[in-house]
Amino acid sequence: GENVEQHPSTLSVQEGDSAVIKCTYSDSASNYFPWYKQELGKRPQLIIDIRSNVGEKKDQRIAVTLNKTAKHFSLHITETQPEDSAVYFCAATANRDDKIIFGKGTRLHILP
Amino acid sequence: EAQVTQNPRYLITVTGKKLTVTCSQNMNHEYMSWYRQDPGLGLRQIYYSMNVEVTDKGDVPEGYKVSRKEKRNFPLILESPSPNQTSLYFCASSLSAGNQETQYFGPGTRLLVL
């Protein structure tokens, strides 16, 4: 079955700098890769996603890149702000009527 | 307001006492699922359902049951809870594209099994 590895588990960056979180997946059939943000005490919420027919997607300060050959995808946050402090989860899915496999999460700290 | 609701939000119980956590969505979503969240382990899918009367095991189904008798409801049943089921539980739902669309999460249920 699918396995999703996420790194790093914790990341601290200075406010205004960029943050990068990486995920690798094992199932070459996976074709949908969402990223969720979970603020302290809140529920996870989708921030960006990418499908396997696209190599990169951007939404303001957030971007996701996908390398199907290497089976890895990354979340890039530029010009980080205090409100970016949260836990971020990547996930991978293959068929629409199948399970969702999440990474173990990255706790991002934005330092003042 | 479009939303996913869970009840109860907090629950303390004892080993072996059957419990049910309810989940309901008012968005006419087809795909619903349950997750547990544990420190260092992230979100792990317990069960999911593509539609009424269709349920499947996720990654960690042992010790749990679900049912999908109506499209809007997807209760999680612990027939004989054990301390290792102490966790934060989330219900989620999504549109017809199932697991390949945005998952809308409920507020979470924090369960402590003594």
Side-chain angles (χ1 to χ4, degrees):
Chain A
E2 175 67 280
N3 183 47
V4 176
E5 301 272 347
Q6 183 172 346
H7 298 281
S9 56
T10 306
L11 178 61
S12 296
V13 301
Q14 213 67 40
E15 183 178 347
D17 288 350
S18 296
V20 181
I21 302 170
K22 299 180 180 180
C23 289
T24 60
Y25 60 98
S26 60
D27 187 351
S28 56
S30 289
N31 58 359
Y32 175 66
F33 308 92
W35 285 90
Y36 287 82
K37 175 184 180 182
Q38 186 181 28
E39 296 178 358
L40 190 63
K42 302 281 183 67
R43 69 193 78 185
Q45 290 188 295
L46 181 80
I47 53 171
I48 196 167
D49 57 11
I50 191 167
R51 299 183 192 274
S52 59
N53 58 346
V54 175
E56 183 173 359
K57 184 176 179 180
K58 193 172 181 181
D59 183 4
Q60 298 181 20
R61 296 186 297 108
I62 294 173
V64 57
T65 57
L66 172 64
N67 183 327
K68 286 188 293 183
T69 305
K71 288 191 278 189
H72 70 69
F73 56 111
S74 299
L75 177 71
H76 304 254
I77 306 174
T78 59
E79 300 172 13
T80 53
Q81 299 170 6
E83 54 265 36
D84 295 329
S85 291
V87 178
Y88 293 81
F89 294 99
C90 63
T93 74
N95 304 311
R96 64 177 291 271
D97 52 351
D98 208 347
K99 59 181 72 171
I100 301 172
I101 305 298
F102 281 85
K104 292 182 178 179
T106 296
R107 184 172 296 277
L108 176 62
H109 299 276
I110 306 301
L111 306 172
Chain B
E1 179 191 353
Q3 58 182 347
V4 179
T5 56
Q6 295 178 226
N7 283 292
R9 295 289 313 280
Y10 304 91
L11 180 59
I12 301 174
T13 190
V14 294
T15 299
K17 186 176 181 182
K18 181 179 178 180
L19 67 92
T20 299
V21 184
T22 64
C23 173
S24 183
Q25 50 91 6
N26 62 0
M27 297 172 279
N28 201 36
H29 284 174
E30 291 186 3
Y31 188 96
M32 295 186 74
S33 60
W34 277 101
Y35 299 89
R36 60 178 290 174
Q37 183 174 13
D38 303 288
L41 297 178
L43 290 162
R44 293 181 293 167
Q45 195 173 37
I46 302 170
Y47 269 95
Y48 61 99
S49 168
M50 274 301 297
N51 216 323
V52 175
E53 302 293 359
V54 179
T55 62
D56 271 300
K57 295 177 181 179
D59 256 11
V60 289
E62 295 77 21
Y64 304 95
K65 284 175 59 176
V66 293
S67 68
R68 188 92 182 271
K69 294 186 171 62
E70 305 165 286
K71 197 171 187 178
R72 63 182 292 131
N73 296 323
F74 190 45
L76 179 70
I77 303 154
L78 283 72
E79 294 268 1
S80 183
S82 62
N84 64 13
Q85 292 179 298
T86 292
S87 187
L88 176 59
Y89 292 88
F90 286 102
C91 178
S93 70
S94 66
L95 278 170
S96 58
N99 61 355
Q100 306 217 320
E101 287 290 344
T102 304
Q103 300 294 306
Y104 293 91
F105 285 82
T109 295
R110 194 167 288 280
L111 173 65
L112 172 62
V113 183
L114 300 173

